[in-house]
Amino acid sequence: MVAKLIDGKQLANLMQEQMKEEVAQLKERGITPGLVVLLVGEDTASQVYVRNKDRVAAKIGIHSKVERYPDTITEAELLAEIQRYNEDPAFHGILVQLPLPKQIDENKVLLAIDPKKDVDGFHPLNLGALFVGKPTKIPCTPYGIMKMFEYYEIDLTGKNAVVIGRSNIVGKPMAHLLLGQNATVTVTHSKTKNLPEICRQADILVVAIGQGNFVTKEFVKEGAVVIDVGMNRDENGKLIGDVKFDEVSPLASYITPVPGGVGPMTITMLMYQTISSATQE
Amino acid sequence: MVAKLIDGKQLANLMQEQMKEEVAQLKERGITPGLVVLLVGEDTASQVYVRNKDRVAAKIGIHSKVERYPDTITEAELLAEIQRYNEDPAFHGILVQLPLPKQIDENKVLLAIDPKKDVDGFHPLNLGALFVGKPTKIPCTPYGIMKMFEYYEIDLTGKNAVVIGRSNIVGKPMAHLLLGQNATVTVTHSKTKNLPEICRQADILVVAIGQGNFVTKEFVKEGAVVIDVGMNRDENGKLIGDVKFDEVSPLASYITPVPGGVGPMTITMLMYQTISSATQE
């Protein structure tokens, strides 16, 4: 078996083209979807992410604004900024780029964003809605993965899905979304024993552990669908995933590459949720 | 091996005695924890549950009040009642007994309760806090099960935990609590394939499927801890669990009986959370 590639870049482009048309139609009705990104400090990776978001927003026709703050900003000042954008009707989505400097309580910041404008899907109220199976705003990475399953017609009902990683922004929301599609879901993590053995039972394997080439062929059952959320740099600075692609792809039925897999979908879902915020007013 | 019984009744009594003392001390400081139960209609099971809650509250010294409404009450009327109790400082806990009649949107009702007074732990904001690993109010049944693990010194780290059932009030919160204690967690349900095989891999098996005697010895690994959330009536009207106790107990290391296992803990945790609401003001 040679795995079929899940081409996230292609699907992202397709969705972005559709959104571009939708935004054009919205503008005729006098609505311009707006997204504001609040960026604190000079973190290099964050700068790159924010630039990419800005570029994709522009391509689709979303009004995008990046607000930069020094890393000396106080929590109260940042909360006041969020409040200002909560009340600003020009912006339907507010994204606070993480991580934040130490003096700022991330939880307080996420709670301060109007849940309706929380296009990252990190507000506890939105996570609670996901929990009870009635999601509205969904963390973008797992949401993008669900769109991949849908587009490639990968049925999840009754499948054994194993998620490696239990973060609030990938692993846990992924588990709820898979459960919502009737998969049997196992969440594994650093304390899991016999991880390769557990993963070998997976029909669907989602890897979000943040360690380059961590998942080898010992983790993968013949015919499994393998989704790689990893974004790591190898010793030569090359972007690699959490999955040892060359070794795993002969076993898998479907696999996502890195780059060009999950990454482009994440940013696409951010725009998708900004537009849905704009139309739900 | 003969399983050690997890005596929920005994642990519940022990906790209730401790709470009784705590309430007595609170009263000396002028605080009387108050719990109001809103009961709509004449559902027989609900009547029994509410009566039991009232009895345990009285035993502990919690000020307990049951408000009864006809099943013709409108959603707006019920929401107004909740608002009234949200604002009433005499009550630290508000519980709306489910199920509700058809004309009332359960979600709207749960959202209307002040999250600080949500002693059932069903408000999406509280479920979201549980999701991100910072729970404050927790659904009482899984919370009670965690107290059992603690009391019987059953370590969960690295254990394979399998939950049968994915309800918002038992299965899903149970999964998050187990994950928070570093178990590897699998959630199974009616669409799961090879359920007995998956369950046989469990070190910890939590059964909340609502079918009498559903879990037989084929589901249980030697030495597993088996927690039975079921409350079913057999053909003679006898209360039975989801687990075939006589068949499973020779295999398990620990097992909860029905009655006298999970049931008494659920109601105890409701009181526990009412008291913690009263002291957190």
Side-chain angles (χ1 to χ4, degrees):
Chain A
M1 180 178 283
V2 174
K4 195 170 166 182
L5 210 65
I6 297 183
D7 190 337
K9 199 172 169 190
Q10 187 198 38
L11 177 55
N13 281 334
L14 182 70
M15 288 186 69
Q16 287 171 20
E17 285 305 318
Q18 289 168 345
M19 285 190 257
K20 194 174 165 179
E21 281 177 36
E22 194 182 347
V23 169
Q25 286 167 10
L26 282 172
K27 284 180 180 169
E28 284 174 20
R29 287 167 46 200
I31 301 169
T32 300
L35 171 67
V36 61
V37 177
L38 311 188
L39 175 59
V40 178
E42 307 282 337
D43 183 77
T44 316
S46 291
Q47 305 271 352
V48 174
Y49 293 143
V50 168
R51 204 159 46 231
N52 284 341
K53 287 166 188 171
D54 210 30
R55 189 179 50 76
V56 175
K59 175 183 161 189
I60 295 171
I62 288 174
H63 170 214
S64 157
K65 175 176 175 182
V66 180
E67 278 270 24
R68 291 166 197 278
Y69 306 99
D71 59 11
T72 53
I73 191 172
T74 65
E75 187 179 277
E77 286 166 340
L78 185 59
L79 292 176
E81 285 294 284
I82 290 169
Q83 193 49 40
R84 185 159 70 87
Y85 284 109
N86 281 343
E87 287 162 14
D88 187 339
F91 294 99
H92 310 88
I94 303 172
L95 183 156
V96 179
Q97 184 67 42
L98 304 178
L100 292 168
K102 281 178 198 161
Q103 75 273 18
I104 298 174
D105 181 343
E106 203 173 286
N107 267 307
K108 265 195 204 166
V109 166
L110 295 180
L111 266 169
I113 299 170
D114 179 344
K116 289 195 197 73
K117 296 190 176 189
D118 168 40
V119 283
D120 252 345
F122 295 166
H123 192 289
L125 202 58
N126 287 325
L127 294 174
L130 175 57
F131 187 112
V132 301
K134 306 199 173 200
T136 48
K137 296 281 182 283
I138 301 171
C140 296
T141 297
Y143 197 7
I145 293 169
M146 294 307 283
K147 286 283 175 189
M148 287 172 154
F149 291 139
E150 192 186 318
Y151 185 72
Y152 283 87
E153 296 180 344
I154 295 166
D155 183 32
L156 300 168
T157 300
K159 297 288 172 65
N160 287 337
V162 175
V163 179
I164 309 183
R166 54 173 162 175
S167 74
N168 294 332
I169 63 179
V170 182
K172 290 183 202 170
M174 188 81 250
H176 279 278
L177 291 168
L178 289 163
L179 203 55
Q181 293 297 316
N182 298 317
T184 298
V185 182
T186 300
V187 180
T188 68
H189 45 78
S190 58
K191 297 289 198 306
T192 294
K193 288 172 186 162
N194 305 325
L195 184 59
E197 190 188 325
I198 292 172
C199 292
R200 270 202 307 276
Q201 299 173 38
D203 303 308
I204 312 285
L205 181 63
V206 179
V207 188
I209 196 163
Q211 289 187 38
N213 291 336
F214 180 83
V215 166
T216 57
K217 64 182 189 313
E218 282 73 29
F219 288 67
V220 180
K221 181 172 78 173
E222 176 115 30
V225 175
V226 180
I227 307 292
D228 188 350
V229 181
M231 298 265 263
N232 316 282
R233 296 277 169 190
D234 72 5
E235 59 278 16
N236 304 315
K238 191 187 153 201
L239 191 66
I240 59 167
D242 290 350
V243 176
K244 213 166 182 176
F245 186 88
D246 294 343
E247 199 175 295
V248 168
S249 66
L251 278 170
S253 61
Y254 287 88
I255 191 167
T256 61
V258 175
V262 172
M265 289 303 293
T266 297
I267 209 163
T268 301
M269 298 319 292
L270 181 66
M271 304 306 153
Y272 187 86
Q273 298 202 100
T274 301
I275 296 171
S276 72
S277 281
T279 54
Q280 272 156 19
E281 299 227 316
Chain B
M1 178 178 286
V2 174
K4 195 169 164 182
L5 210 66
I6 298 183
D7 189 337
K9 199 172 170 190
Q10 186 196 40
L11 177 55
N13 281 333
L14 182 70
M15 288 186 70
Q16 287 172 19
E17 285 304 319
Q18 289 168 348
M19 285 191 258
K20 193 173 166 178
E21 283 176 34
E22 195 182 346
V23 169
Q25 286 168 11
L26 282 172
K27 284 181 179 171
E28 284 174 19
R29 288 167 45 201
I31 301 170
T32 300
L35 170 67
V36 61
V37 177
L38 311 188
L39 175 58
V40 178
E42 307 282 335
D43 184 77
T44 316
S46 292
Q47 304 271 354
V48 174
Y49 294 144
V50 168
R51 202 157 49 229
N52 284 340
K53 286 166 188 170
D54 210 31
R55 189 179 49 77
V56 174
K59 174 184 162 188
I60 295 171
I62 289 175
H63 169 212
S64 156
K65 176 176 173 182
V66 179
E67 278 269 26
R68 290 166 198 278
Y69 305 100
D71 61 9
T72 53
I73 191 173
T74 66
E75 187 178 277
E77 285 165 341
L78 184 59
L79 292 175
E81 283 295 284
I82 291 169
Q83 193 50 40
R84 186 159 71 87
Y85 283 109
N86 281 343
E87 287 162 14
D88 187 340
F91 294 99
H92 309 89
I94 302 171
L95 184 157
V96 179
Q97 185 67 42
L98 303 178
L100 291 168
K102 281 179 197 160
Q103 76 273 17
I104 297 174
D105 181 343
E106 202 172 287
N107 266 306
K108 265 196 206 166
V109 167
L110 295 179
L111 267 169
I113 299 170
D114 180 345
K116 290 194 197 74
K117 296 191 176 187
D118 169 40
V119 284
D120 252 345
F122 296 167
H123 191 289
L125 202 59
N126 286 326
L127 294 174
L130 174 59
F131 187 112
V132 302
K134 306 198 174 202
T136 48
K137 296 281 182 284
I138 301 171
C140 295
T141 297
Y143 196 9
I145 294 169
M146 295 308 283
K147 287 283 174 190
M148 287 174 154
F149 292 139
E150 193 186 318
Y151 185 73
Y152 284 87
E153 297 181 344
I154 295 167
D155 184 31
L156 300 168
T157 301
K159 298 288 173 62
N160 287 337
V162 174
V163 179
I164 309 183
R166 54 174 162 173
S167 74
N168 294 331
I169 62 179
V170 183
K172 290 183 200 169
M174 189 79 251
H176 279 277
L177 291 167
L178 290 163
L179 203 56
Q181 293 297 314
N182 297 316
T184 299
V185 182
T186 300
V187 180
T188 67
H189 44 78
S190 58
K191 298 290 199 307
T192 294
K193 288 172 186 162
N194 303 324
L195 184 61
E197 189 188 325
I198 292 171
C199 292
R200 272 202 306 277
Q201 298 173 39
D203 302 308
I204 312 284
L205 181 62
V206 180
V207 188
I209 198 166
Q211 289 186 36
N213 291 335
F214 181 83
V215 166
T216 57
K217 63 181 192 309
E218 283 72 30
F219 287 68
V220 180
K221 181 171 77 173
E222 174 116 32
V225 175
V226 180
I227 307 292
D228 187 349
V229 181
M231 300 263 262
N232 316 283
R233 297 276 168 191
D234 72 5
E235 60 277 16
N236 304 316
K238 190 187 155 203
L239 191 65
I240 59 168
D242 290 350
V243 176
K244 213 165 181 176
F245 186 87
D246 294 342
E247 198 175 296
V248 168
S249 66
L251 278 171
S253 61
Y254 286 88
I255 192 167
T256 60
V258 175
V262 172
M265 289 303 293
T266 297
I267 209 162
T268 301
M269 299 319 293
L270 180 68
M271 304 306 152
Y272 188 87
Q273 299 202 100
T274 300
I275 296 171
S276 71
S277 281
T279 55
Q280 272 156 19
E281 299 226 316

